Amino acid sequence: MRLGYALSVFLEKSGKVLVGRDTRTGGEALQASLVSGLLSGGCEVVEAGVVPTPVLAFATRLLKMDAGVMITASHNPPEYNGVKFWSGEGMAFTPKEEEEIERILQENPKRVEWHEVGSSREEDVLPLYFEEILRGFSLNRKFRVVVDCGNGAASLVTPLLLRELGCEVIALNSHPDGFPGRGLEPVAENLKELAEEVKNSNADIGIAHDGDADRVVAVDERGRIVDLDKLLALVAREEGKGGTVVTTVDASRVVEKAVEEKGGRVIRTKVGDVNVAIACKETHAAFGGEPCGAWIFPRIHLAPDGPLGALVLLKILDSGKKLSEMVDELPQYVMLRKKISCSSTQKEEVMKKFATMAKEMGGEISTIDGIRVSLPEGWILVRPSGTEPLIRITVEGEREEWAREQLNRTVQILTTR
Ligand code: MG
């Protein structure tokens, strides 16, 4: 309730706010409380019910709301819940805007007077989204698709969109349920059933989302979960169309390889989908995406959109090539990751050490997020964690031997006093 009230203060008490939630059991309770806070702060509220995060963001802009609130804990376990704020243009709140909300939460301002209390109504916003997404979109072939929504918010969208496009859909975990049949993060250990079913049913592709469907991952027709960086590269090549593509500092070089093949260029930002969205807006990019499966299609909107991502994957398959063939044609690099423990007081000193090391290596250095040094053979990224006492090292090389050598050398230099 206090959070709803804080948002109304942020919007200066006269805002229109769209509220939605995913399928978590605590969603309705949180929604009631949040709406109560918004109303007592003088806001007009539209309740969208269970919707994917991208639908909430999309409808916030389309209905000319001042803000949107999505009640979800995304890919986290079902017992978790949280909120994510969206601006009137359908973009995630920036860290600065979130800080402002937190600052207001610390205060205890008066609620509005009785004659200024807001009102709420319900609206089904799904048809608005369906209409926009399907406009001008068609497939030439009839695909067999296995869809696993993790019983999350995508259950109400992705299977229906695909059927609308003539696909034969086999749905797993695709009825809304706060007691999901699998872990909500679309990672290998949670997708065994999907991979198995794709193979058994001779499907063309398997699609999975996280709990709030701002992410999408794929399984190829051979039942292999597609490497996330390679999948990102395929979509970036298709959607980039020779223009600008935005991705994060930790994404594989395979993205550049694929995008540059079509004459496009890649811009890298800090990790986090809001950073990708901001860069997409600033550079008028054709596409933006993170390797976790959060993909932004600026031609429609600036929110990462899992269901739309699923449609784009099918459009790519429409060329007639199998997904496994397209994936296997991309270059194979080796990515290695390691965390080293480091107290927050020592982080600066360790980063300085790496800055010196990076300079000596003579590559191209970027300090957008941590320090990243790019060399002909590959790249090294060293990032201090913002929340935990550790530093993350990522190395990608065209050859495994090179990557191992660089990782070992980096760890040695950073851990030697
Ligand atoms: Mg999510």
Side-chain angles (χ1 to χ4, degrees):
M1 177 152 172
R2 278 172 55 101
L3 195 58
Y5 190 65
L7 181 59
S8 71
V9 172
F10 179 88
L11 297 172
E12 290 166 355
K13 300 188 175 179
S14 54
K16 288 184 287 181
V17 181
L18 184 67
V19 179
R21 63 176 198 271
D22 67 11
T23 59
R24 286 161 210 273
T25 56
E28 267 184 293
L30 274 181
Q31 180 175 322
S33 172
L34 184 87
V35 170
S36 170
L38 287 167
L39 298 179
S40 60
C43 285
E44 298 302 316
V45 176
V46 178
E47 297 182 67
V50 174
V51 284
T53 295
V55 174
L56 184 282
F58 174 79
T60 296
R61 193 196 61 196
L62 203 75
L63 297 174
K64 297 189 167 57
M65 308 299 281
D66 296 296
V69 187
M70 181 69 190
I71 301 168
T72 176
S74 190
H75 55 278
N76 294 294
E79 63 269 31
Y80 287 56
N81 217 339
V83 289
K84 187 159 180 163
F85 294 119
W86 296 86
S87 72
E89 57 176 334
M91 235 172 99
F93 266 28
T94 61
K96 217 175 141 195
E97 287 166 323
E98 285 180 345
E99 275 166 30
E100 178 64 9
I101 294 281
E102 274 171 31
R103 191 192 61 75
I104 297 169
L105 264 177
Q106 305 304 320
E107 295 173 353
N108 204 8
K110 276 190 188 161
R111 276 136 176 74
V112 295
E113 296 292 329
W114 65 274
H115 58 277
E116 292 171 325
V117 170
S119 62
S120 76
R121 65 181 170 86
E122 287 173 11
E123 183 166 342
D124 180 8
V125 300
L126 285 174
L128 302 173
Y129 177 79
F130 274 62
E131 194 189 328
E132 174 71 24
I133 297 297
L134 291 171
R135 186 183 302 143
F137 193 99
S138 63
L139 297 170
N140 295 318
R141 299 169 57 212
K142 187 176 164 70
F143 294 102
R144 182 177 294 164
V145 188
V146 186
V147 182
D148 183 340
C149 298
N151 300 105
S155 306
L156 301 169
V157 175
T158 305
L160 302 175
L161 278 176
L162 295 175
R163 284 191 182 114
E164 198 67 35
L165 290 166
C167 296
E168 182 192 333
V169 176
I170 300 166
L172 301 178
N173 303 311
S174 289
H175 57 281
D177 193 338
F179 299 87
R182 64 152 165 95
L184 292 175
E185 186 162 20
V187 290
E189 65 192 83
N190 294 327
L191 302 178
K192 288 181 191 139
E193 196 190 356
L194 173 66
E196 208 44 39
E197 185 58 33
V198 170
K199 250 194 309 188
N200 292 343
S201 60
N202 287 320
D204 297 290
I205 187 173
I207 300 279
H209 296 293
D210 68 332
D212 66 331
D214 60 350
R215 279 162 65 171
V216 59
V217 304
V219 169
D220 72 18
E221 80 289 347
R222 291 167 56 188
R224 302 178 305 179
I225 294 160
V226 179
D227 175 85
L228 292 173
D229 286 277
K230 286 187 175 177
L231 195 64
L232 174 63
L234 285 181
V235 177
R237 184 171 65 191
E238 172 73 18
E239 286 286 312
K241 295 187 172 67
T244 301
V245 164
V246 177
T247 191
T248 47
V249 290
D250 59 338
S252 166
R253 195 173 263 190
V254 71
V255 178
E256 266 105 354
K257 283 273 188 262
V259 169
E260 286 165 7
E261 210 178 277
K262 287 258 173 106
R265 61 161 187 161
V266 173
I267 293 175
R268 288 180 182 260
T269 68
K270 274 187 186 201
V271 172
D273 60 62
V274 64
N275 299 314
V276 176
I278 292 167
C280 281
K281 191 181 160 193
E282 281 173 2
T283 64
H284 305 286
F287 173 74
E290 284 195 284
C292 68
W295 302 340
I296 295 173
F297 302 92
R299 60 185 164 85
I300 303 283
H301 61 161
L302 289 167
D305 192 324
L308 179 53
L311 262 52
V312 168
L313 286 173
L314 285 166
K315 194 75 208 169
I316 292 173
L317 287 186
D318 222 15
S319 68
K321 252 191 185 169
K322 288 189 162 59
L323 183 55
S324 66
E325 291 168 6
M326 281 188 273
V327 170
D328 292 343
E329 278 168 12
L330 291 167
Q332 175 69 44
Y333 301 141
V334 179
M335 205 185 281
L336 304 172
R337 295 187 179 86
K338 197 167 174 85
K339 295 176 201 167
I340 53 172
S341 55
C342 179
S343 68
S344 52
T345 50
Q346 283 181 326
K347 279 178 184 167
E348 205 182 316
E349 195 193 324
V350 174
M351 290 309 290
K352 264 190 200 152
K353 269 192 209 169
F354 184 65
T356 310
M357 174 184 161
K359 229 178 257 164
E360 282 166 4
M361 294 180 86
E364 190 187 317
I365 294 174
S366 152
T367 52
I368 293 167
D369 196 352
I371 299 173
R372 186 181 193 274
V373 54
S374 182
L375 298 150
E377 304 89 338
W379 52 269
I380 308 170
L381 170 68
V382 177
R383 288 172 60 224
S385 163
T387 49
E388 293 170 272
L390 46 92
I391 285 189
R392 293 191 169 88
I393 306 170
T394 312
V395 181
E396 182 177 55
E398 304 200 350
R399 289 182 308 116
E400 173 151 13
E401 202 188 342
W402 183 89
R404 288 236 171 264
E405 209 178 286
Q406 298 306 320
L407 182 67
N408 292 342
R409 199 161 78 88
T410 308
V411 171
Q412 199 195 2
I413 289 175
L414 299 192
T415 53
T416 312
R417 303 201 172 232

